[in-house]
Amino acid sequence: MSRTLLTLLAVVSSASAAAKKDQPAPQAFETNCKACHLTDRALVGPHFVHIQEHYPLSKRSEFLEWCRNPGKRNPNMPQMPSMAHIPEAELIEIHNYILNTEVKRVKKTSNKDLFPDTKRPRVVRSFWRNTAPTSILIALPTAEKLNVVWDSEACRLRYISQGEADNFPYLRSNGNSESNPGKIIYTENQTFGTDAQPVFKGYRIDKDGFPTFLYTIDGQEITEQISSSGESVVRTFTGTTPAFSVTAADDTSVAVSTTSNTITYSLK
Amino acid sequence: MNKFLSYVGFIALSLSAQAVKHPGFDVSSIKIPTGQDPQVGGLDIMPNGKIVATFHEGDVRIYDPETKQWSLFASGLHEPLGLVAEDDHTVVIVQRPEITRISDTDGDGVADSYQCLCDDFGMSGNYHEFSFGPARDAEGNFYLSLNVASNGAPIREEIRGEWLELGLAREKFMVDRKEWGAGIKHEAGRMYSRVPYRGWVVKVDAKTGEMTPWASGFRSPNGLGFGPDGELYVSDNQGDWVGTSKLHQVKQGNFYGHPASLPWTEGYEGPDPVKADAKKLDEIRTPAAVWFTQSTMANSPSQPITIPEGFGEFGGQMLIGEMNKARIIRVILEEVNGVTQGACTPLIDGHGLDMGVNRFVFNEKNELIIGHEHLSWPGGEGMAIVSPANNAPYQDVKTINITADGFTVEFLQDVEDTAELAKSTLVRYTFDYHHHYGSAQRERENIGLTFTPVDGSKKKFTVSLDKPHKEDFCYEFNITPSYNPLLCYTVREIPAK
């Protein structure tokens, strides 16, 4: 008996924390649905507006069928477990509750960072598309919104992209979706000219926000700064290997020029 | 029954106005800056008393409790899920790809150095390979736990680290998601460890960054902390090979039950973990110190922490968070026949707390700071403080110990109504160890119990049972005079008479 009371206590108190002004949520909703379905934004499962659109009153039987035998619609969301253990009367109560809850339609946030941070330069580690899972994006303060994606395992530039980088696909899916670096405009092959593997040591960020990566090859310390100059991307090295070289992987709209310790990439 | 119903009705009414206050502890919240995704993956206090936290979007922010102002310390991290402050200018965080020492070297309040302390573990790119920790030992060294991959998704084309050539071929893991979901996923094992040290706890030297694989057999160990005994404790989450969620005391070289991680043991010559034999594994695994009964106690326990003196009367015990309920659990440990085991009981249950109790740190005033998270699973957001209030004393079990044929229980207050105490109940059950997901409560049976005062005490009682003890059983009490009547004791060892 007291255990039941305890469970009820927990449930009722969490209900009050999120109490909506209109109507109390049915007990069955609190116990089975609330952890994953919010009124106004997607959590583990879709929010109320979405369910209201998909299952209006006229589709009551489809709603009940989906609860008992759910499928998978959204590849970025886990499949809902079956709710077959909930009696029909309570499922109907849940459906009514969802339909009768007034929710302001939220602006779609897909493909947009929930809290956009468009500051440039900035350094963002994530699962970026078309590169290793250890990659770092550097958004550069160029009018053309150029970004460098640098692989901290291979210690080299993988590609340059253009446009606003969007990390939200990663954030909303816990890394089950890859983040969008913008349009990839230049992909590079690089060799250090030695069989030794580079060892990543980290990076420093200077006052202007540009990163300098630190790594070693055969014990030799190398630094590599990623920055921009006007509309160009600039990599500035200290201490790199004698046989170091880079080549563009594909036909590209990017012109590459080198000095003894820099590589500059400019739009043609 | 009617009395019970009206009681619930009363509580429901009062709760709809505002959450019930805990008699012994106050729960309040800390405001997170607008624009910050308010999910906290790591939490600590700097020597200067400021709170430092990591957030889901990859930021590290510092909170000054005096001015109640936040400042941005670092950003751009890849899912940081833990942090330790080394000094007022340096934090060590664990993010997906590495453990990183982040420092403000020029004293402007913003980090400028991100030193990779260690990245000597694999990444398949599978979303479920979270990295948790660090817990810092007395010498300043760090312990991390590395989540296994989930067959909810395949791997990425590029990986970091050696691929394990055992079982399903790598190409099979690289099919598109449709093909994966249609069938291949079932051959991968529900949780898999195909790059080094997934499913392990590893130790990292604070000076050299050298990594030592420490212990294996973990599934989703979202919580590391040191106990009052100076030992490392790590929680794990119910699932395949984990009948119910649990807390382990972790020692070097041990195996804690989930076989996916085993092939990364030096000299491993066993089978593909997908074909592992539960009976054989049972012989080499170290069982949990504490079980958290699924649904009843916890579904996803998080970080364990030792309680300082001054936090209620529970100094020297431990707390552990729970993601799926608005609950903080108290853990009471003891050593029996050289084995650490013990009890768990809710401490805070609702009382204005949010779900998703993920990270803990105590401040100098013995207040517990809490970071909430969900990562798209059930959980919560934001930060809270639990303060030991100067409120009316309340009744709860202070401590419990096992005896040869029962238990001894000590209450916080005198038990005046022994007739009420006599209404307490006890049921025990065990859990399966198998590759299936979770476990039903097995061999469940009611146990009759009798409370007898120890030397006329009103606080301390022996509890005698009408059946002999059984090893590897969870004893679930309902102790009627307690504010938190639910208390579970995991029996591994039975003391001699």
Side-chain angles (χ1 to χ4, degrees), chain A residues 137-203:
Chain A
L137 179 137
I138 305 103
L140 293 164
T142 56
E144 296 286 348
K145 294 191 172 172
L146 298 177
N147 313 299
V148 166
V149 168
W150 199 88
D151 177 352
S152 72
E153 177 65 7
C155 296
R156 69 179 182 93
L157 181 148
R158 296 294 297 260
Y159 57 76
I160 295 171
S161 65
Q162 191 174 6
E164 203 57 72
D166 180 15
N167 196 21
F168 189 58
Y170 172 95
L171 293 172
R172 69 152 183 249
S173 69
N174 293 329
N176 211 357
S177 300
E178 287 169 315
S179 286
N180 181 6
K183 186 184 175 205
I184 298 173
I185 57 168
Y186 172 82
T187 305
E188 186 177 84
N189 294 321
Q190 176 183 309
T191 175
F192 288 107
T194 162
D195 289 338
Q197 294 299 309
V199 179
F200 180 62
K201 297 289 184 186
Y203 54 96

Side-chain angles (χ1 to χ4, degrees), chain A:
Chain A
M1 187 87 93
S2 286
R3 215 176 85 216
T4 320
L5 173 61
L6 197 75
T7 314
L8 281 169
L9 259 170
V11 164
V12 174
S13 72
S14 59
S16 73
K20 295 281 157 203
K21 47 193 176 297
D22 324 305
Q23 40 163 359
Q27 185 74 45
F29 179 85
E30 292 288 346
T31 316
N32 297 286
C33 320
K34 193 193 142 166
C36 300
H37 296 282
L38 300 184
T39 57
D40 56 355
R41 66 191 163 85
L43 188 61
V44 182
H47 54 69
F48 279 23
V49 178
H50 186 94
I51 304 171
Q52 287 165 355
E53 281 171 358
H54 226 89
Y55 295 110
L57 195 56
S58 59
K59 290 200 174 168
R60 171 90 85 204
S61 58
E62 285 90 337
F63 175 83
L64 297 175
E65 175 52 26
W66 182 266
C67 292
R68 289 172 187 140
N69 188 19
K72 189 171 166 78
R73 276 204 192 99
N74 187 332
N76 290 328
M77 285 179 175
Q79 184 171 331
M80 183 171 89
S82 167
M83 296 292 151
H85 60 283
I86 307 177
E88 178 160 322
E90 289 179 37
L91 284 175
I92 288 172
E93 218 185 329
I94 290 169
H95 192 209
N96 286 341
Y97 169 67
I98 293 171
L99 290 177
N100 295 333
T101 300
E102 207 179 313
V103 187
K104 257 194 247 161
R105 184 180 283 269
V106 276
K107 241 169 131 181
K108 271 205 167 166
T109 51
S110 59
N111 295 327
K112 275 273 187 293
D113 199 325
L114 261 182
F115 304 101
D117 178 5
T118 52
K119 186 175 81 72
R120 287 169 177 265
R122 72 179 195 275
V123 174
V124 185
R125 305 181 79 153
S126 187
F127 285 148
W128 298 106
R129 179 157 54 83
N130 288 25
T131 182
T134 49
S135 296
I136 302 172
L137 179 137
I138 305 103
L140 293 164
T142 56
E144 296 286 348
K145 294 191 172 172
L146 298 177
N147 313 299
V148 166
V149 168
W150 199 88
D151 177 352
S152 72
E153 177 65 7
C155 296
R156 69 179 182 93
L157 181 148
R158 296 294 297 260
Y159 57 76
I160 295 171
S161 65
Q162 191 174 6
E164 203 57 72
D166 180 15
N167 196 21
F168 189 58
Y170 172 95
L171 293 172
R172 69 152 183 249
S173 69
N174 293 329
N176 211 357
S177 300
E178 287 169 315
S179 286
N180 181 6
K183 186 184 175 205
I184 298 173
I185 57 168
Y186 172 82
T187 305
E188 186 177 84
N189 294 321
Q190 176 183 309
T191 175
F192 288 107
T194 162
D195 289 338
Q197 294 299 309
V199 179
F200 180 62
K201 297 289 184 186
Y203 54 96
R204 295 191 303 261
I205 300 216
D206 68 21
K207 284 282 178 211
D208 297 321
F210 294 115
T212 297
F213 295 109
L214 317 169
Y215 49 97
T216 61
I217 294 184
D218 273 335
Q220 157 129 12
E221 288 180 13
I222 299 173
T223 72
E224 172 178 345
Q225 188 200 46
I226 306 287
S227 65
S228 57
S229 170
E231 286 304 297
S232 298
V233 173
V234 184
R235 298 166 76 192
T236 308
F237 298 85
T238 64
T240 195
T241 53
F244 175 91
S245 75
V246 300
T247 47
D250 304 302
D251 284 347
T252 174
S253 56
V254 172
V256 183
S257 63
T258 59
T259 70
S260 63
N261 70 332
T262 63
I263 309 175
T264 301
Y265 306 82
S266 309
L267 292 173
K268 280 178 188 165

Side-chain angles (χ1 to χ4, degrees), chain B residues 229-411:
Chain B
D229 50 6
E231 300 286 346
L232 178 64
Y233 287 85
V234 180
S235 59
D236 208 351
N237 197 110
Q238 187 236 29
D240 56 327
W241 296 102
V242 185
T244 199
S245 296
K246 55 190 183 168
L247 182 66
H248 284 291
Q249 187 191 63
V250 173
K251 302 230 183 197
Q252 186 174 15
N254 282 359
F255 164 69
Y256 291 96
H258 196 291
S261 52
L262 274 177
W264 301 111
T265 313
E266 213 180 324
Y268 179 78
E269 287 179 351
D272 173 6
V274 172
K275 299 183 177 120
D277 175 10
K279 280 208 181 89
K280 283 188 183 152
L281 291 176
D282 204 13
E283 288 165 17
I284 59 166
R285 77 179 171 127
T286 302
V290 178
W291 270 324
F292 304 105
T293 306
Q294 177 80 3
S295 305
T296 306
M297 187 64 73
N299 291 22
S300 295
S302 54
Q303 184 191 338
I305 192 169
T306 298
I307 305 175
E309 295 300 331
F311 186 78
E313 293 185 49
F314 305 127
Q317 299 182 359
M318 294 181 86
L319 296 177
I320 190 161
E322 148 70 342
M323 300 301 285
N324 292 48
K325 294 178 169 50
R327 178 177 284 180
I328 297 169
I329 296 162
R330 181 160 59 94
V331 173
I332 308 160
L333 298 173
E334 63 176 327
E335 197 178 299
V336 182
N337 303 337
V339 172
T340 298
Q341 63 186 35
C344 53
T345 180
L347 175 73
I348 308 290
D349 217 359
H351 304 113
L353 191 69
D354 197 358
M355 303 197 334
V357 179
N358 190 40
R359 294 293 177 259
F360 287 146
V361 65
F362 278 100
N363 66 14
E364 277 195 341
K365 294 182 224 161
N366 298 319
E367 295 168 323
L368 179 71
I369 318 292
I370 299 168
H372 294 282
E373 189 156 52
H374 57 74
L375 295 184
S376 309
W377 280 283
E381 294 183 338
M383 284 172 62
I385 304 184
V386 175
S387 315
N390 295 315
N391 290 349
Y394 75 102
Q395 184 60 297
D396 230 335
V397 168
K398 183 179 178 188
T399 189
I400 179 168
N401 298 90
I402 190 170
T403 61
D405 43 20
F407 296 90
T408 57
V409 171
E410 186 182 345
F411 288 91

